[in-house]
Amino acid sequence: MKSHAKVVVIGGGVVGCSVLFHLARHGWTDVVLLERDELTSGSTWHAAGGMHTINGDPNVAKLQKYTISLYKEIEELSGQATGVHLTGGVLLAATEARLDWLRGVVAKGRYLGIDLEEISPNEAAELMPLLDPKQFVGAVRNKEDGHLDPSGVTHAYAKAARKLGAEVERFTKVEDIVRRPDGSWRVITNKGEVVAEHVVNAGGLWAREVGRMVGLELPVLAMEHMYLITEDMPEVAAWNQKTGTEIIHAVDFDGELYLRQERGGMLMGTYEKANKPWSEFQTPWNFGHELLEPDIDRIAPSLEVGFRHFPAFQNTGIKQIINGPFTFAPDGNPLVGPVRGLPGFWVACGVMAGFSQGGGVGLALSNWMIEGDPGADIWAMDVARYGDWATMAYTNAKVRENYSRRFSIRFPNEELPAGRPLKTTPVYDALSAKGAQWGVSYGLEVPLWYAPDAVRDEFSWRRSSDFDHVAKEVAAVRGGVGLAEISNFAKYAVTGEGAAGWLDRMLACKLPKRGRMTLAPMLKDDGRLIGDFTLANIDDGEWFIAGSGIAEQYHMRWFEAHLPKNGSVRIEALGQKLAGLAIAGPKARDVLAKVTRADVSNAAFPFMAVARMDIGMAPCLVGRVSYTGDLGYEIWVAPEYQRAAFGALMAAGEEFGIGLFGSRALNALRLEKNYGSWAREFRPIYGPLEAGLDRFVAYGKEADFIGKAAALAERKQGGKLRLRAFIVEADDADVIGDEPIWFDGTVRGWVTSGGYAHHAKRSVAMGYVPKEIADEADGFEIEILGKRHGARIQSAPLFDANFERMRA
C-alpha cells in the first residue's frame, strides 16, 4: 500500500468506487480507495439494483440521468459486465391527487429531457401485464427505468479506475484519521498509514463512524429494508415468450411498492409504515455480507395491497425475502461535499439510491475537488444543508418519517411533524396563541400563516383552506401595518481591521457608508451567484450581513475558506443569538415612532438606513428595508429582549389595526415586487445579469472581487438566460416551482417559484427563459397540473412600480 496519495477514498461500495473512477477520469490518478472488506460489502451487494431518473429535485434528476447514461462507458472501459436492463417502467396512481403529482413529474421531464408520457390504466396494463387496471386512475410511462447487477456495476467502476491509474486496497480497515499541522491527513489503517491531501468519506453504513474519527457527527441512519423474490411465475414466462422482452418496472406509489422481473419471477419491495432502524447508535465493524432476519409481518399490510393491485402474486410462492440495511439522511437525499471547518475532508454518503445517483455523486464530487466547483446545482445533496441542530435523535425521527413516506404525496402546503418543534424563538408561544401555523426552516419553527380556531391546512395541489386568511394578512400590510417574525434569516457579524477590505473582495457590491445598507450579491470564481445578502455598515470595522437562513452552513463554509490567515477579519454566524421582527405597510413608521425616542422620519432615517435604537425597553438594531416591497423595517434583537420588543410593537400598532403575517403572505407580497429568493431564483447556476442582480454589481469598483472577470465577460456576452415574472391565467391552482414554460408551442424555460399575489389579485410565476425571447409580449404558456395556461411577462412590478411607497 502506498504511503502518500493526493486522495484517499474510504469505502468500496458503489459510491466510493464511482468517486474513485471520476477522480481518475478527470486526471487525478494519485488516488487510492480503502475498503475494510471486499468491494460491495455493506449495502451495495444486497441492493435491489433498480435505477430511475425521477427525483423531486430537477437538478438531482439531471445527475440521475447522467448516472444511467454512464453505465455503457464504464462497461466498455473496464470490460466488466454491468448487467444493465433498460426495460422502461410505469409509475402508477391510484388516486386523483397522485395523478396530479405525476402530471407535475411529466411536466418537469419536458425541460429535463426525460421522456415521460401520461397513459391510462388500461394502457399501463398493456405494458405491465401483472397489474389490475381497475385499481388505478392513471399512470406515467418512463422509458429510462431499468435494473442492473449491483456487484457488476461496482466492480466496473473499480476496474475502470484502476485502468486509469487509481489503486484499490481491499481488506484495509481505516482505524483513525488525524489532521497534520500542514493541513494534510494521516489515514491510519490496519496495514499502515497513508498521508493524503484529501479524504473522502464514502463509508456507507460506516459513514458515521468514519465521520467521528474527525469529530463529525453526520445525520445518517440505517434502516432495515425488505424486498421479496417470487418463485417462477407462468405470467412472466408467457410475457417473455410473447414479446421477447422483460416485464417492465412498476412503481405503485399508493401501495408503497416497487416491482421488476427477477429471472423467471418478480421482485417486489416496499417502504413500510412500520419501519425499523438498524444499529441506531453505532455500526458494528464486523458486519459485511450478512443479511438481517426477515419480518414478513411488518410488511404484510403493503403486501396485501400489492397482491390486490397485482393479482398474479396471489398464485405464486415466495422464494426469498431479502432484509438488509441502507443508510438515509433526514430528507432522503445524499450528503455530498466539503465539510465546513475540515479543509480537505469530503463526504459522499447517505446515497440510498446508489445505482440511480452514484455516478452523479462521483461526478459532482470530483469536479468540486479538482475544479473548486461541483459543476452542477447540487444544493439538494449538499452536506451544508444541515447544521449542528441535526442531532442523532432528530435524525432518527426524520429518517423514520421519510422512510415511511418515501412513496407518499408531499403536498406543497404540507408540513411534516417528526422531529418538531426543535428550535423555537421566545415569541413562539405568543404567536401560537394567535393561531400561528408553523413550518420549519433550518430546524427553526417559522410562522406560515395565522388560522382562526378550528381552521387548519387542507393539503392540496390547489388553493386551500389558508387562501382567504393569507389574503387578510396581505391586506393588513398593504392597507395599514403588519408584523412578521423573521428570525429564520441567517445573520452574520463581521469585524476586524481588515473587515472592509475583505468584504470588498468577497461581495460584488459597492460597500455602503457608515449607517447605510445595500443589497450584496456574492459570486463564485466563474461569476455565478453563490449568495445574495443585505450588507449593513454599523460602525467602523463592524459589519452586519443578513441572508438566507437555510444556507447558513453553506455560506459560512465559503466565508471561512476565504478568511485571511493573519486574523485581521472575524466572522460569526449569529444564528439564534439574534432574533428578528419586521413591520411593514404605510403605517409602519407611525408604529415605530411610538416605541422609540430615535428620529425615524424619512429625512433622518431614509430608505436603506441602519441604526441602533431602543424599541420600548429593548435595545435593537433597526434597518429600513423590507422584503414586502412596502415601507418597512427589519428589527434585530437579542432573544432575551424579543418578547419585550414584540409586545411594544403590537401595543403601539393597535390603533393602526396591526396584524400578524406569515411567510405565505410574505411570498405573495414579494411576488408583487418581482423579488427573487435564494435557492429559487438565485442559485449557483445563474449569473447576476441573468438573475436580474446586475444593477447591484459594482463592476467599476477598484477591488478585484471574486468572480469579477467572469461577471464582466457575462455582461459583455449577454449571458444565456433571463429571469422574468409572469402573470398566469390560472384557475384554482398556482405554480409551486419547476413547472415548464412554453413559448410558441415548445418548452423553453422553467418556473423557479410563484403563487397568488393577493393584493394585485393575480397568479404570478417567476422563472428563466432564453434571453432571445425574454422580452416577447405574447406566446407564453405555463403548465400547471397537466394543463397549459396563458402567461405574459410582467416587466414592471404589480405593486409600487416607481418605489414611491418603499422610499416615502
Side-chain angles (χ1 to χ4, degrees):
M1 182 175 70
K2 60 168 60 181
S3 60
H4 290 77
K6 192 170 189 67
V7 184
V8 167
V9 179
I10 302 172
V14 64
V15 175
C17 290
S18 171
V19 171
L20 188 76
F21 164 73
H22 280 90
L23 287 170
R25 190 176 71 169
H26 281 60
W28 278 18
T29 55
D30 183 18
V31 294
V32 60
L33 182 147
L34 306 181
E35 164 55 45
R36 67 181 183 93
D37 201 315
E38 267 289 6
L39 298 183
T40 77
S41 298
S43 295
T44 296
W45 76 272
H46 60 74
M51 57 182 185
H52 54 88
T53 54
I54 302 302
N55 189 279
D57 185 285
N59 296 290
V60 177
K62 291 177 186 177
L63 291 177
Q64 291 182 186
K65 184 177 174 66
Y66 163 79
T67 299
I68 293 172
S69 71
L70 181 64
Y71 290 134
K72 183 179 180 181
E73 177 185 339
I74 62 169
E75 186 172 88
E76 292 176 351
L77 178 59
S78 67
Q80 167 72 50
T82 58
V84 169
H85 297 245
L86 203 61
T87 63
V90 286
L91 311 175
L92 301 165
T95 65
E96 290 296 335
R98 172 61 69 184
L99 188 55
D100 278 343
W101 179 82
L102 284 177
R103 286 169 177 150
V105 171
V106 173
K108 288 180 189 177
R110 299 194 206 284
Y111 67 82
L112 292 173
I114 300 174
D115 189 4
L116 303 171
E117 176 190 6
E118 182 181 343
I119 59 177
S120 70
N122 287 332
E123 289 173 314
E126 292 173 3
L127 296 168
M128 203 290 184
L130 304 186
L131 66 83
D132 177 5
K134 298 184 183 67
Q135 303 294 325
F136 303 99
V137 299
V140 165
R141 171 78 189 275
N142 182 5
K143 296 181 180 178
E144 297 183 67
D145 277 6
H147 61 274
L148 43 71
D149 172 18
S151 178
V153 165
T154 305
H155 283 280
Y157 277 128
K159 288 180 179 180
R162 285 195 193 100
K163 282 192 172 183
L164 293 169
E167 296 184 23
V168 175
E169 295 287 344
R170 298 173 301 148
F171 306 105
T172 306
K173 178 177 175 287
V174 174
E175 297 178 336
D176 203 2
I177 306 171
V178 179
R179 186 83 180 277
R180 298 190 350 152
D182 65 358
S184 62
W185 298 91
R186 292 173 57 211
V187 182
I188 302 166
T189 80
N190 60 338
K191 294 182 177 179
E193 67 178 60
V194 185
V195 175
E197 184 180 339
H198 301 276
V199 174
V200 179
N201 176 3
L205 292 175
W206 295 269
R208 289 180 305 182
E209 283 65 35
V210 174
R212 288 166 184 165
M213 293 177 186
V214 295
L216 178 66
E217 189 66 37
L218 288 166
V220 291
L221 176 69
M223 300 292 292
E224 293 191 14
H225 179 67
M226 280 181 278
Y227 61 86
L228 62 84
I229 298 172
T230 72
E231 303 284 356
D232 288 356
M233 298 172 65
E235 295 87 351
V236 173
W239 178 266
N240 295 162
Q241 184 175 5
K242 174 185 174 182
T243 67
T245 63
E246 290 183 83
I247 288 182
I248 65 174
H249 281 224
V251 177
D252 177 3
F253 290 100
D254 300 279
E256 298 165 338
L257 303 163
Y258 60 89
L259 304 92
R260 69 166 176 84
Q261 184 172 336
E262 174 67 15
R263 298 183 184 274
M266 292 293 294
L267 180 151
M268 177 186 285
T270 178
Y271 290 90
E272 70 279 5
K273 299 294 185 188
N275 53 62
K276 183 179 179 182
W278 178 77
S279 193
E280 294 182 59
F281 309 112
Q282 190 159 358
T283 305
W285 285 103
N286 60 356
F287 184 82
H289 278 82
E290 297 91 351
L291 289 173
L292 308 177
E293 191 68 27
D295 184 358
I296 197 167
D297 290 339
R298 201 166 77 236
I299 63 173
S302 294
L303 297 183
E304 289 176 11
V305 176
F307 291 176
R308 185 171 69 252
H309 287 188
F310 304 88
F313 280 80
Q314 299 173 20
N315 305 316
T316 191
I318 297 173
K319 182 166 65 177
Q320 187 179 12
I321 297 177
I322 305 294
N323 185 18
F326 289 89
T327 54
F328 293 77
D331 60 3
N333 277 337
L335 299 175
V336 179
V339 176
R340 177 191 166 199
L342 297 173
F345 191 86
W346 306 75
V347 296
C349 55
V351 190
M352 192 286 304
F355 295 100
S356 296
Q357 299 173 342
V361 168
L363 175 69
L365 198 69
S366 62
N367 282 339
W368 215 336
M369 296 174 74
I370 296 170
E371 306 293 341
D373 187 272
D377 186 350
I378 68 160
W379 168 252
M381 300 194 299
D382 196 321
V383 65
R385 69 188 187 275
Y386 292 106
D388 293 342
W389 47 272
T391 61
M392 185 180 290
Y394 169 89
T395 298
N396 188 310
K398 294 304 288 186
V399 167
R400 296 192 68 173
E401 178 184 64
N402 177 270
Y403 184 98
S404 70
R405 293 180 51 91
R406 185 160 179 82
F407 285 160
S408 299
I409 296 173
R410 173 74 182 272
F411 290 99
N413 63 334
E414 184 177 8
E415 297 295 323
L416 303 182
R420 299 175 54 202
L422 178 57
K423 292 195 295 182
T424 59
T425 63
V427 296
Y428 175 81
D429 292 338
L431 299 183
S432 294
K434 298 286 189 181
Q437 304 301 297
W438 297 94
V440 66
S441 174
Y442 202 63
L444 178 70
E445 296 294 315
V446 296
L448 301 173
W449 64 290
Y450 292 85
D453 291 341
V455 178
R456 295 294 181 268
D457 267 322
E458 294 175 2
F459 303 143
S460 174
W461 297 108
R462 293 167 168 79
R463 295 170 190 162
S464 189
S465 51
D466 66 329
F467 189 79
D468 292 337
H469 304 289
V470 172
K472 292 176 182 177
E473 295 173 28
V474 169
V477 174
R478 292 291 190 235
V481 60
L483 184 147
E485 219 272 12
I486 58 168
S487 299
N488 58 305
F489 279 79
K491 292 84 61 179
Y492 310 90
V494 182
T495 56
E497 61 183 17
W502 181 74
L503 288 167
D504 216 13
R505 169 163 166 72
M506 292 297 295
L507 303 176
C509 63
K510 181 180 179 181
L511 297 191
K513 296 179 180 179
R514 181 178 175 181
R516 301 291 295 167
M517 309 165 66
T518 191
L519 297 179
M522 184 165 70
L523 309 181
K524 300 182 295 169
D525 294 278
D526 63 1
R528 303 290 177 173
L529 292 165
I530 198 171
D532 73 302
F533 306 98
T534 303
L535 172 68
N537 185 345
I538 307 301
D539 205 341
D540 292 335
E542 182 183 359
W543 302 79
F544 174 78
I545 301 174
S548 171
I550 62 172
E552 179 184 293
Q553 191 90 336
Y554 175 84
H555 285 138
M556 280 299 290
R557 183 176 64 193
W558 180 263
F559 286 141
E560 290 174 344
H562 291 83
L563 282 175
K565 300 189 186 307
N566 61 8
S568 62
V569 181
R570 295 175 295 279
I571 183 167
E572 179 185 6
L574 299 172
Q576 295 313 300
K577 293 179 182 178
L578 208 59
L581 300 167
I583 54 173
K587 299 296 182 182
R589 181 185 289 114
D590 298 317
V591 173
L592 185 62
K594 287 186 65 176
V595 295
T596 184
R597 295 179 62 248
D599 184 353
V600 293
S601 66
N602 193 44
F605 200 62
F607 179 60
M608 298 302 277
V610 62
R612 289 192 173 92
M613 62 183 73
D614 293 344
I615 304 295
M617 296 182 291
C620 302
L621 177 68
V622 179
R624 190 179 154 187
V625 66
S626 177
Y627 196 44
T628 67
D630 217 315
L631 171 65
Y633 305 86
E634 291 180 353
I635 300 163
W636 303 105
V637 56
E640 59 266 31
Y641 297 119
Q642 191 193 28
R643 288 179 66 91
F646 173 76
L649 290 165
M650 290 299 289
E654 188 172 355
E655 71 172 281
F656 304 107
I658 194 169
L660 296 170
F661 68 101
S663 60
R664 290 183 185 169
L666 183 60
N667 183 60
L669 293 161
R670 65 101 184 175
L671 288 172
E672 294 181 336
K673 294 292 290 182
N674 297 356
Y675 287 168
S677 63
W678 180 255
R680 303 300 302 184
E681 286 71 43
F682 309 141
R683 296 185 74 133
I685 54 175
Y686 306 124
L689 176 62
E690 295 176 326
L693 296 180
D694 193 50
R695 64 189 185 278
F696 302 113
V697 176
Y699 295 99
K701 73 176 181 177
E702 186 175 340
D704 187 21
F705 60 85
I706 295 173
K708 182 176 183 179
L712 281 166
E714 183 205 42
R715 192 185 201 196
K716 182 178 180 180
Q717 296 163 4
K720 295 180 180 179
L721 302 170
R722 291 293 185 273
L723 177 64
R724 290 292 183 260
F726 295 85
I727 305 301
V728 187
E729 296 170 9
D731 38 44
D732 64 342
D734 305 295
V735 301
I736 57 175
D738 298 327
E739 294 87 354
I741 299 173
W742 295 72
F743 179 74
D744 282 352
T746 303
V747 173
R748 300 294 305 277
W750 55 89
V751 171
T752 50
S753 70
Y756 192 78
H758 288 273
H759 179 71
K761 295 181 171 52
R762 295 286 188 274
S763 186
V764 177
M766 298 187 73
Y768 282 89
V769 295
K771 66 178 180 182
E772 292 79 14
I773 61 171
D775 297 315
E776 293 289 339
D778 302 309
F780 289 101
E781 295 174 301
I782 292 177
E783 185 173 346
I784 304 173
L785 300 177
K787 179 181 176 183
R788 284 150 64 174
H789 299 261
R792 67 180 188 277
I793 289 177
Q794 182 70 22
S795 54
L798 288 166
F799 173 78
D800 192 27
N802 296 320
F803 298 91
E804 294 173 356
R805 259 257 294 251
M806 192 166 59
R807 299 174 183 273

